[in-house]
Every structure is written in structure tokens, then in C-alpha cells.
PDB file of all heavy atoms in Angstrom:
ATOM      1  N   SER A 107       4.530  -9.222  -0.469  1.00 97.00           N
ATOM      2  CA  SER A 107       3.647  -8.095  -0.146  1.00 97.00           C
ATOM      3  C   SER A 107       2.580  -8.506   0.834  1.00 97.00           C
ATOM      4  O   SER A 107       1.406  -8.284   0.656  1.00 97.00           O
ATOM      5  CB  SER A 107       2.976  -7.505  -1.473  1.00 97.00           C
ATOM      6  OG  SER A 107       4.018  -7.193  -2.356  1.00 97.00           O
ATOM      7  N   CYS A 108       2.918  -9.102   1.902  1.00 97.00           N
ATOM      8  CA  CYS A 108       1.999  -9.716   2.911  1.00 97.00           C
ATOM      9  C   CYS A 108       0.903  -8.779   3.272  1.00 97.00           C
ATOM     10  O   CYS A 108       1.182  -7.752   3.849  1.00 97.00           O
ATOM     11  CB  CYS A 108       2.885 -10.214   4.076  1.00 97.00           C
ATOM     12  SG  CYS A 108       1.884 -10.996   5.249  1.00 97.00           S
ATOM     13  N   THR A 109      -0.254  -9.192   3.120  1.00 97.00           N
ATOM     14  CA  THR A 109      -1.411  -8.232   3.263  1.00 97.00           C
ATOM     15  C   THR A 109      -1.549  -7.784   4.739  1.00 97.00           C
ATOM     16  O   THR A 109      -1.830  -6.631   4.938  1.00 97.00           O
ATOM     17  CB  THR A 109      -2.788  -8.947   2.771  1.00 97.00           C
ATOM     18  OG1 THR A 109      -2.927 -10.178   3.515  1.00 97.00           O
ATOM     19  CG2 THR A 109      -2.788  -9.196   1.320  1.00 97.00           C
ATOM     20  N   HIS A 110      -1.475  -8.733   5.640  1.00 96.00           N
ATOM     21  CA  HIS A 110      -1.619  -8.300   7.016  1.00 96.00           C
ATOM     22  C   HIS A 110      -0.562  -7.499   7.574  1.00 96.00           C
ATOM     23  O   HIS A 110      -0.721  -6.723   8.523  1.00 96.00           O
ATOM     24  CB  HIS A 110      -2.028  -9.481   7.996  1.00 96.00           C
ATOM     25  CG  HIS A 110      -1.140 -10.676   7.969  1.00 96.00           C
ATOM     26  ND1 HIS A 110       0.198 -10.552   8.293  1.00 96.00           N
ATOM     27  CD2 HIS A 110      -1.364 -11.984   7.641  1.00 96.00           C
ATOM     28  CE1 HIS A 110       0.731 -11.791   8.220  1.00 96.00           C
ATOM     29  NE2 HIS A 110      -0.171 -12.638   7.864  1.00 96.00           N
ATOM     30  N   VAL A 111       0.607  -7.608   6.977  1.00 96.00           N
ATOM     31  CA  VAL A 111       1.761  -6.715   7.325  1.00 96.00           C
ATOM     32  C   VAL A 111       1.649  -5.414   6.732  1.00 96.00           C
ATOM     33  O   VAL A 111       1.771  -4.379   7.415  1.00 96.00           O
ATOM     34  CB  VAL A 111       3.123  -7.391   7.017  1.00 96.00           C
ATOM     35  CG1 VAL A 111       4.261  -6.404   7.155  1.00 96.00           C
ATOM     36  CG2 VAL A 111       3.357  -8.698   7.818  1.00 96.00           C
ATOM     37  N   TRP A 112       1.323  -5.393   5.431  1.00 97.00           N
ATOM     38  CA  TRP A 112       1.240  -4.067   4.789  1.00 97.00           C
ATOM     39  C   TRP A 112      -0.113  -3.379   5.140  1.00 97.00           C
ATOM     40  O   TRP A 112      -0.230  -2.173   4.717  1.00 97.00           O
ATOM     41  CB  TRP A 112       1.322  -4.283   3.240  1.00 97.00           C
ATOM     42  CG  TRP A 112       2.772  -4.382   2.855  1.00 97.00           C
ATOM     43  CD1 TRP A 112       3.564  -5.497   2.897  1.00 97.00           C
ATOM     44  CD2 TRP A 112       3.664  -3.366   2.426  1.00 97.00           C
ATOM     45  NE1 TRP A 112       4.832  -5.252   2.511  1.00 97.00           N
ATOM     46  CE2 TRP A 112       5.004  -3.908   2.266  1.00 97.00           C
ATOM     47  CE3 TRP A 112       3.453  -2.014   2.129  1.00 97.00           C
ATOM     48  CZ2 TRP A 112       5.977  -3.272   1.763  1.00 97.00           C
ATOM     49  CZ3 TRP A 112       4.543  -1.206   1.732  1.00 97.00           C
ATOM     50  CH2 TRP A 112       5.777  -1.861   1.492  1.00 97.00           C
ATOM     51  N   ASN A 113      -0.951  -3.995   5.926  1.00 97.00           N
ATOM     52  CA  ASN A 113      -2.097  -3.273   6.471  1.00 97.00           C
ATOM     53  C   ASN A 113      -1.648  -2.032   7.405  1.00 97.00           C
ATOM     54  O   ASN A 113      -2.366  -1.089   7.576  1.00 97.00           O
ATOM     55  CB  ASN A 113      -2.934  -4.156   7.410  1.00 97.00           C
ATOM     56  CG  ASN A 113      -3.997  -4.919   6.539  1.00 97.00           C
ATOM     57  OD1 ASN A 113      -4.254  -4.682   5.359  1.00 97.00           O
ATOM     58  ND2 ASN A 113      -4.685  -5.879   7.244  1.00 97.00           N
ATOM     59  N   TYR A 114      -0.422  -2.261   7.890  1.00 95.00           N
ATOM     60  CA  TYR A 114      -0.014  -1.206   8.829  1.00 95.00           C
ATOM     61  C   TYR A 114       0.717  -0.041   8.248  1.00 95.00           C
ATOM     62  O   TYR A 114       1.043   0.847   8.906  1.00 95.00           O
ATOM     63  CB  TYR A 114       1.006  -1.827   9.897  1.00 95.00           C
ATOM     64  CG  TYR A 114       0.359  -2.931  10.760  1.00 95.00           C
ATOM     65  CD1 TYR A 114       0.120  -4.167  10.334  1.00 95.00           C
ATOM     66  CD2 TYR A 114       0.020  -2.646  12.116  1.00 95.00           C
ATOM     67  CE1 TYR A 114      -0.453  -5.173  11.167  1.00 95.00           C
ATOM     68  CE2 TYR A 114      -0.520  -3.622  12.891  1.00 95.00           C
ATOM     69  CZ  TYR A 114      -0.833  -4.842  12.416  1.00 95.00           C
ATOM     70  OH  TYR A 114      -1.417  -5.766  13.201  1.00 95.00           O
ATOM     71  N   GLU A 115       0.917  -0.138   6.918  1.00 94.00           N
ATOM     72  CA  GLU A 115       1.655   0.909   6.137  1.00 94.00           C
ATOM     73  C   GLU A 115       0.674   1.860   5.511  1.00 94.00           C
ATOM     74  O   GLU A 115      -0.164   1.448   4.679  1.00 94.00           O
ATOM     75  CB  GLU A 115       2.505   0.225   5.166  1.00 94.00           C
ATOM     76  CG  GLU A 115       3.505   1.140   4.558  1.00 94.00           C
ATOM     77  CD  GLU A 115       2.996   1.880   3.341  1.00 94.00           C
ATOM     78  OE1 GLU A 115       2.097   1.361   2.568  1.00 94.00           O
ATOM     79  OE2 GLU A 115       3.448   3.108   3.083  1.00 94.00           O
ATOM     80  N   VAL A 116       0.757   3.132   5.866  1.00 94.00           N
ATOM     81  CA  VAL A 116      -0.136   4.148   5.269  1.00 94.00           C
ATOM     82  C   VAL A 116       0.511   5.371   4.614  1.00 94.00           C
ATOM     83  O   VAL A 116      -0.124   6.211   4.274  1.00 94.00           O
ATOM     84  CB  VAL A 116      -1.094   4.625   6.384  1.00 94.00           C
ATOM     85  CG1 VAL A 116      -2.112   3.520   6.800  1.00 94.00           C
ATOM     86  CG2 VAL A 116      -0.470   5.257   7.537  1.00 94.00           C
ATOM     87  N   ALA A 117       1.833   5.309   4.442  1.00 93.00           N
ATOM     88  CA  ALA A 117       2.458   6.389   3.804  1.00 93.00           C
ATOM     89  C   ALA A 117       2.313   6.341   2.302  1.00 93.00           C
ATOM     90  O   ALA A 117       2.070   7.408   1.673  1.00 93.00           O
ATOM     91  CB  ALA A 117       4.022   6.321   4.116  1.00 93.00           C
ATOM     92  N   THR A 118       2.416   5.217   1.775  1.00 96.00           N
ATOM     93  CA  THR A 118       2.387   5.113   0.297  1.00 96.00           C
ATOM     94  C   THR A 118       1.101   5.712  -0.335  1.00 96.00           C
ATOM     95  O   THR A 118       1.200   6.531  -1.281  1.00 96.00           O
ATOM     96  CB  THR A 118       2.552   3.661  -0.259  1.00 96.00           C
ATOM     97  OG1 THR A 118       3.747   3.119   0.409  1.00 96.00           O
ATOM     98  CG2 THR A 118       2.705   3.640  -1.668  1.00 96.00           C
ATOM     99  N   PRO A 119      -0.128   5.404   0.149  1.00 97.00           N
ATOM    100  CA  PRO A 119      -1.326   5.974  -0.417  1.00 97.00           C
ATOM    101  C   PRO A 119      -1.423   7.500  -0.323  1.00 97.00           C
ATOM    102  O   PRO A 119      -1.992   8.069  -1.241  1.00 97.00           O
ATOM    103  CB  PRO A 119      -2.477   5.270   0.312  1.00 97.00           C
ATOM    104  CG  PRO A 119      -1.836   4.802   1.665  1.00 97.00           C
ATOM    105  CD  PRO A 119      -0.441   4.455   1.312  1.00 97.00           C
ATOM    106  N   PHE A 120      -0.828   7.996   0.732  1.00 95.00           N
ATOM    107  CA  PHE A 120      -0.940   9.506   0.921  1.00 95.00           C
ATOM    108  C   PHE A 120       0.159  10.215   0.062  1.00 95.00           C
ATOM    109  O   PHE A 120      -0.086  11.332  -0.379  1.00 95.00           O
ATOM    110  CB  PHE A 120      -0.805   9.868   2.416  1.00 95.00           C
ATOM    111  CG  PHE A 120      -2.142   9.654   3.116  1.00 95.00           C
ATOM    112  CD1 PHE A 120      -2.398   8.482   3.718  1.00 95.00           C
ATOM    113  CD2 PHE A 120      -3.114  10.610   3.197  1.00 95.00           C
ATOM    114  CE1 PHE A 120      -3.587   8.232   4.423  1.00 95.00           C
ATOM    115  CE2 PHE A 120      -4.244  10.466   3.885  1.00 95.00           C
ATOM    116  CZ  PHE A 120      -4.511   9.256   4.449  1.00 95.00           C
ATOM    117  N   LEU A 121       1.259   9.594  -0.144  1.00 94.00           N
ATOM    118  CA  LEU A 121       2.351  10.243  -0.794  1.00 94.00           C
ATOM    119  C   LEU A 121       2.478   9.856  -2.286  1.00 94.00           C
ATOM    120  O   LEU A 121       2.887  10.592  -3.140  1.00 94.00           O
ATOM    121  CB  LEU A 121       3.782  10.045  -0.119  1.00 94.00           C
ATOM    122  CG  LEU A 121       3.772  10.588   1.304  1.00 94.00           C
ATOM    123  CD1 LEU A 121       5.149  10.274   1.979  1.00 94.00           C
ATOM    124  CD2 LEU A 121       3.595  12.089   1.296  1.00 94.00           C
ATOM    125  N   PHE A 122       2.263   8.615  -2.535  1.00 96.00           N
ATOM    126  CA  PHE A 122       2.351   8.017  -3.897  1.00 96.00           C
ATOM    127  C   PHE A 122       1.149   7.229  -4.171  1.00 96.00           C
ATOM    128  O   PHE A 122       1.231   5.935  -4.287  1.00 96.00           O
ATOM    129  CB  PHE A 122       3.657   7.122  -3.977  1.00 96.00           C
ATOM    130  CG  PHE A 122       4.938   7.959  -3.578  1.00 96.00           C
ATOM    131  CD1 PHE A 122       5.502   7.726  -2.239  1.00 96.00           C
ATOM    132  CD2 PHE A 122       5.506   8.866  -4.387  1.00 96.00           C
ATOM    133  CE1 PHE A 122       6.652   8.372  -1.873  1.00 96.00           C
ATOM    134  CE2 PHE A 122       6.624   9.620  -3.969  1.00 96.00           C
ATOM    135  CZ  PHE A 122       7.202   9.272  -2.817  1.00 96.00           C
ATOM    136  N   GLY A 123       0.048   7.892  -4.350  1.00 97.00           N
ATOM    137  CA  GLY A 123      -1.261   7.132  -4.528  1.00 97.00           C
ATOM    138  C   GLY A 123      -1.352   6.184  -5.659  1.00 97.00           C
ATOM    139  O   GLY A 123      -1.907   5.104  -5.522  1.00 97.00           O
ATOM    140  N   GLU A 124      -0.650   6.554  -6.800  1.00 97.00           N
ATOM    141  CA  GLU A 124      -0.719   5.606  -7.936  1.00 97.00           C
ATOM    142  C   GLU A 124      -0.012   4.311  -7.718  1.00 97.00           C
ATOM    143  O   GLU A 124      -0.382   3.250  -8.161  1.00 97.00           O
ATOM    144  CB  GLU A 124      -0.147   6.366  -9.223  1.00 97.00           C
ATOM    145  CG  GLU A 124      -1.028   7.434  -9.689  1.00 97.00           C
ATOM    146  CD  GLU A 124      -2.424   7.019  -9.961  1.00 97.00           C
ATOM    147  OE1 GLU A 124      -2.663   6.048 -10.797  1.00 97.00           O
ATOM    148  OE2 GLU A 124      -3.321   7.734  -9.486  1.00 97.00           O
ATOM    149  N   LEU A 125       1.065   4.383  -6.910  1.00 97.00           N
ATOM    150  CA  LEU A 125       1.776   3.195  -6.517  1.00 97.00           C
ATOM    151  C   LEU A 125       0.909   2.268  -5.610  1.00 97.00           C
ATOM    152  O   LEU A 125       0.872   1.087  -5.730  1.00 97.00           O
ATOM    153  CB  LEU A 125       3.068   3.481  -5.846  1.00 97.00           C
ATOM    154  CG  LEU A 125       4.161   4.091  -6.735  1.00 97.00           C
ATOM    155  CD1 LEU A 125       5.453   4.323  -5.933  1.00 97.00           C
ATOM    156  CD2 LEU A 125       4.545   3.147  -7.887  1.00 97.00           C
ATOM    157  N   ALA A 126       0.249   2.940  -4.651  1.00 98.00           N
ATOM    158  CA  ALA A 126      -0.583   2.197  -3.744  1.00 98.00           C
ATOM    159  C   ALA A 126      -1.668   1.474  -4.534  1.00 98.00           C
ATOM    160  O   ALA A 126      -2.007   0.287  -4.219  1.00 98.00           O
ATOM    161  CB  ALA A 126      -1.261   3.074  -2.712  1.00 98.00           C
ATOM    162  N   LYS A 127      -2.231   2.114  -5.573  1.00 98.00           N
ATOM    163  CA  LYS A 127      -3.311   1.500  -6.357  1.00 98.00           C
ATOM    164  C   LYS A 127      -2.749   0.197  -7.086  1.00 98.00           C
ATOM    165  O   LYS A 127      -3.487  -0.735  -7.345  1.00 98.00           O
ATOM    166  CB  LYS A 127      -3.889   2.498  -7.391  1.00 98.00           C
ATOM    167  CG  LYS A 127      -4.793   3.447  -6.725  1.00 98.00           C
ATOM    168  CD  LYS A 127      -4.992   4.750  -7.504  1.00 98.00           C
ATOM    169  CE  LYS A 127      -5.801   4.547  -8.708  1.00 98.00           C
ATOM    170  NZ  LYS A 127      -6.013   5.838  -9.414  1.00 98.00           N
ATOM    171  N   THR A 128      -1.418   0.243  -7.451  1.00 98.00           N
ATOM    172  CA  THR A 128      -0.966  -1.018  -8.100  1.00 98.00           C
ATOM    173  C   THR A 128      -0.900  -2.195  -7.029  1.00 98.00           C
ATOM    174  O   THR A 128      -0.976  -3.325  -7.440  1.00 98.00           O
ATOM    175  CB  THR A 128       0.489  -0.716  -8.658  1.00 98.00           C
ATOM    176  OG1 THR A 128       1.474  -0.612  -7.604  1.00 98.00           O
ATOM    177  CG2 THR A 128       0.557   0.373  -9.567  1.00 98.00           C
ATOM    178  N   MET A 129      -0.633  -1.860  -5.759  1.00 98.00           N
ATOM    179  CA  MET A 129      -0.704  -2.858  -4.762  1.00 98.00           C
ATOM    180  C   MET A 129      -2.048  -3.537  -4.621  1.00 98.00           C
ATOM    181  O   MET A 129      -2.268  -4.713  -4.414  1.00 98.00           O
ATOM    182  CB  MET A 129      -0.169  -2.342  -3.436  1.00 98.00           C
ATOM    183  CG  MET A 129       1.246  -1.849  -3.495  1.00 98.00           C
ATOM    184  SD  MET A 129       1.945  -1.481  -1.813  1.00 98.00           S
ATOM    185  CE  MET A 129       2.455  -3.182  -1.317  1.00 98.00           C
ATOM    186  N   ARG A 130      -3.093  -2.603  -4.695  1.00 98.00           N
ATOM    187  CA  ARG A 130      -4.479  -3.157  -4.646  1.00 98.00           C
ATOM    188  C   ARG A 130      -4.754  -3.988  -5.894  1.00 98.00           C
ATOM    189  O   ARG A 130      -5.488  -4.992  -5.786  1.00 98.00           O
ATOM    190  CB  ARG A 130      -5.473  -1.886  -4.691  1.00 98.00           C
ATOM    191  CG  ARG A 130      -5.271  -0.878  -3.568  1.00 98.00           C
ATOM    192  CD  ARG A 130      -5.556  -1.367  -2.167  1.00 98.00           C
ATOM    193  NE  ARG A 130      -4.416  -2.077  -1.637  1.00 98.00           N
ATOM    194  CZ  ARG A 130      -3.296  -1.494  -1.151  1.00 98.00           C
ATOM    195  NH1 ARG A 130      -3.231  -0.219  -1.133  1.00 98.00           N
ATOM    196  NH2 ARG A 130      -2.372  -2.147  -0.630  1.00 98.00           N
ATOM    197  N   ASP A 131      -4.144  -3.692  -6.970  1.00 98.00           N
ATOM    198  CA  ASP A 131      -4.440  -4.505  -8.271  1.00 98.00           C
ATOM    199  C   ASP A 131      -3.757  -5.818  -8.040  1.00 98.00           C
ATOM    200  O   ASP A 131      -4.428  -6.838  -8.371  1.00 98.00           O
ATOM    201  CB  ASP A 131      -3.659  -3.772  -9.455  1.00 98.00           C
ATOM    202  CG  ASP A 131      -4.032  -4.441 -10.727  1.00 98.00           C
ATOM    203  OD1 ASP A 131      -5.243  -4.773 -10.983  1.00 98.00           O
ATOM    204  OD2 ASP A 131      -3.166  -4.566 -11.566  1.00 98.00           O
ATOM    205  N   VAL A 132      -2.581  -5.967  -7.399  1.00 98.00           N
ATOM    206  CA  VAL A 132      -2.038  -7.256  -7.093  1.00 98.00           C
ATOM    207  C   VAL A 132      -2.930  -8.041  -6.171  1.00 98.00           C
ATOM    208  O   VAL A 132      -3.215  -9.235  -6.425  1.00 98.00           O
ATOM    209  CB  VAL A 132      -0.625  -7.079  -6.493  1.00 98.00           C
ATOM    210  CG1 VAL A 132      -0.121  -8.362  -5.988  1.00 98.00           C
ATOM    211  CG2 VAL A 132       0.333  -6.542  -7.548  1.00 98.00           C
TER     212      VAL A 132
END
């Protein structure tokens, strides 16, 4: 879940916010 690569991905927080929050937890 490479942080600097996933910095470019913004679909998940807008469509599946709870899943995005699990990535922040990691």
C-alpha cells in the first residue's frame, strides 16, 4: 500500500469512505 503511490488515488475516499479510513489506520 505504498504511500507515495496511493497519494495519487482519490476515488476510494469519495466513493467508499470507510474503506479509505482503514488505509489511514494502517
Side-chain angles (χ1 to χ4, degrees):
S107 300
C108 182
T109 57
H110 52 60
V111 170
W112 280 82
N113 272 354
Y114 294 79
E115 190 274 327
V116 294
T118 307
F120 281 91
L121 296 178
F122 305 104
E124 291 304 309
L125 289 181
K127 285 159 71 176
T128 70
M129 298 192 81
R130 305 294 82 79
D131 190 40
V132 170

